[in-house]
Amino acid sequence: MGKEIGSAGFTADDFARFSQRLQLETTHAQAAYARGEFADEGLVAGFELEAWLINEHFFPVPLNVPFLERMDSPLVVPELSMFNVEINGTPQDLGGTALSQLESELTATWQQCRRVAADLGVSVIAIGTLPTLRERDLSLASMSPFKRYAALNEQVLRLRGGRPLALDIAGIDNLSLTHADVMLEAATTSFQVHLQTPVSEVARTYNASQILSAPLVALAANSPFLFGRALWHETRIPLFEQTVACCEPGHSEHARVTFGSGYLAGDPTALFAENLSAYPVLLPFEEPGPVHAYAHLRLHNGTIWRWNRMLIGFDRDAVPHLRIEQRVMPAGPSIVDMIANAAFFYGAVRILARQSVAPESRLPFAVACDNFYRAARHGLEAQLGWVDGRRENVAELLLRELLPMAHEGLIELGLAAADIERYLAVISARLHSRQNGAAWQLAHYAKYQDFFRLAADYLEHQRRLMPVHEWPI
């Protein structure tokens, strides 16, 4: 969905031609995998961070067009709404000082964003859901002026037969409402971590990434409030799932935003085959080029938001590679927190994917899925089932097993010792204090009962680049 399309209006012939090309490219990708044509070396790390533009009253402000013009950076690009932007990191070979390089670049880009925002009289903030957001902020008038977004809204509503989108979240409080368009999606902002993986290891790594989704979302939770209600610790999860719901309620087997339908058995291109067979085309924009460029496969894949998504990319010499996009973590609270989350993920997924007994053979997919929603709802207080058959508090599981695993994995990857100690110390302190972004926000609101003070204090702590476990309330 990051690529602009050439038309927002489609005909039946457009869908037919696109579907035919999608079939060809999917078949080609499966055959290319079978022939060993995907890259089988190298580990590369990257990320995408979504952020908000807010005014002095802490309400979102739709100014991303002049903001992006002034930024003039290929690393900072538009998002669905005019009050959101996306910040990208330059991919790094996963070794040595890759993590601190990612942090340094993100810090530099973030500080530039702050300066440009200040020149426009606004601020930039990274937070999963904005506690001062109002439903009226999420109108089509605030949609970024790109055809792909207008087409997405049109096609989602077409598949729904014109019915408005229904939001129904039961959490600490309850929230039920209907909304006429997909702009509710703009209420969710994330920190998406990428891991390019040798093709021979990608299926096991993808399964390990699914298993880690529950501990990751509990560890990183930072989205407890929406429209004045305290809901889940990571409200982004049910919010995003319900805001791009193309199917009838109760028929979510192939929802567009989903934890998935199962582990990979071996062939990672099975996910692209599932895309072809189970998901109607949303954006049938034809693009010239060879079948092996996979333009249509990649566009279609970009309209299916699995919480762990498989992506096709290309190396400098045009060799196709596969990478995993881990999508469960929210934006914020601080830059060091986000890079620490990425460090934890990279280390833990490395060890899980290489265990002699595959963890996916010991943890049923249904349990991994249930864990994910429990963790999103309850954060660090969630009780999860694990591969040893036990059920325990997720923070204790992280401290007992997964944090040491991440340490081992980062050493195996050849990360710099100083980086390993720095980032995993942040994770350890967060777990011992039980203060992630969601816990801090909930405690702050419980004390002051003021969303505007919450947003002001949050922004001040974030500006000081403090890890969230050090934030006072």
Side-chain angles (χ1 to χ4, degrees), residues 49-69:
L49 169 61
E50 298 160 348
W52 302 73
L53 297 172
I54 57 173
N55 63 21
E56 69 274 18
H57 304 297
F58 304 101
F59 293 127
V61 55
L63 287 178
N64 74 357
V65 173
F67 174 85
L68 291 168
E69 288 175 350

Side-chain angles (χ1 to χ4, degrees), residues 1 41 45 67 90 168 298 331 358 368 449-450:
M1 280 302 298
E41 58 184 16
F67 174 85
T90 304
D168 188 5
R298 295 165 76 194
Q449 299 288 304
D450 185 340

Side-chain angles (χ1 to χ4, degrees), residues 48-227:
E48 303 168 33
L49 169 61
E50 298 160 348
W52 302 73
L53 297 172
I54 57 173
N55 63 21
E56 69 274 18
H57 304 297
F58 304 101
F59 293 127
V61 55
L63 287 178
N64 74 357
V65 173
F67 174 85
L68 291 168
E69 288 175 350
R70 294 192 185 200
M71 280 294 298
D72 191 25
S73 169
L75 296 177
V76 188
V77 298
E79 262 293 335
L80 171 64
S81 80
M82 289 193 290
F83 48 75
N84 292 138
V85 295
E86 178 185 289
I87 300 167
N88 293 273
T90 304
Q92 301 287 335
D93 291 337
L94 192 54
T97 58
L99 295 170
S100 52
Q101 290 179 64
L102 289 171
E103 182 185 5
S104 295
E105 182 185 60
L106 177 55
T107 301
T109 306
W110 187 254
Q111 300 295 32
Q112 184 186 4
C113 287
R114 285 186 56 198
R115 289 190 294 270
V116 170
D119 289 344
L120 293 169
V122 301
S123 298
V124 61
I125 187 171
I127 189 168
T129 52
L130 185 68
T132 51
L133 181 70
R134 304 158 298 188
E135 189 184 355
R136 66 177 179 269
D137 295 317
L138 301 171
S139 71
L140 288 178
S142 293
M143 179 179 282
S144 289
F146 295 95
K147 292 175 183 176
R148 63 184 182 271
Y149 298 130
L152 173 68
N153 181 66
E154 175 186 306
Q155 295 303 315
V156 167
L157 293 178
R158 177 184 65 82
L159 288 177
R160 292 182 58 81
R163 296 185 310 278
L165 292 149
L167 191 64
D168 188 5
I169 304 175
I172 300 168
D173 300 325
N174 298 329
L175 177 65
S176 297
L177 57 86
T178 58
H179 198 83
D181 49 63
V182 300
M183 284 298 289
L184 278 173
E185 180 192 335
T188 72
T189 51
S190 63
F191 177 65
Q192 298 160 20
V193 173
H194 290 234
L195 178 59
Q196 180 183 327
T197 306
V199 70
S200 60
E201 300 178 8
V202 76
R204 287 278 313 264
T205 304
Y206 184 86
N207 293 342
S209 185
Q210 289 180 297
I211 289 170
L212 282 171
S213 294
L216 267 176
V217 78
L219 180 66
N222 191 36
S223 313
F225 295 110
L226 181 66
F227 303 146

Side-chain angles (χ1 to χ4, degrees), residues 401-449:
E401 182 171 340
L402 296 179
L403 189 57
M405 185 183 295
H407 190 272
E408 179 186 353
L410 293 177
I411 291 174
E412 184 177 302
L413 288 165
L415 273 296
D419 282 5
I420 295 173
E421 296 308 317
R422 168 174 162 74
Y423 297 117
L424 295 191
V426 169
I427 300 296
S428 178
R430 192 190 310 161
L431 291 170
H432 280 103
S433 68
R434 296 295 198 272
Q435 182 165 290
N436 59 11
W440 182 88
Q441 289 189 56
L442 288 164
H444 190 287
Y445 186 76
K447 182 174 182 178
Y448 298 110
Q449 299 288 304

Side-chain angles (χ1 to χ4, degrees), residues 351-366:
I351 297 302
L352 268 184
R354 292 190 156 202
Q355 288 184 337
S356 57
V357 178
E360 59 266 37
S361 70
R362 303 171 62 201
L363 187 74
F365 182 79

Side-chain angles (χ1 to χ4, degrees), residues 387-400:
V387 296
D388 53 11
R390 291 197 296 174
R391 181 170 291 277
E392 66 177 305
N393 169 263
V394 64
E396 295 300 324
L397 172 65
L398 282 157
L399 283 167
R400 173 181 62 82

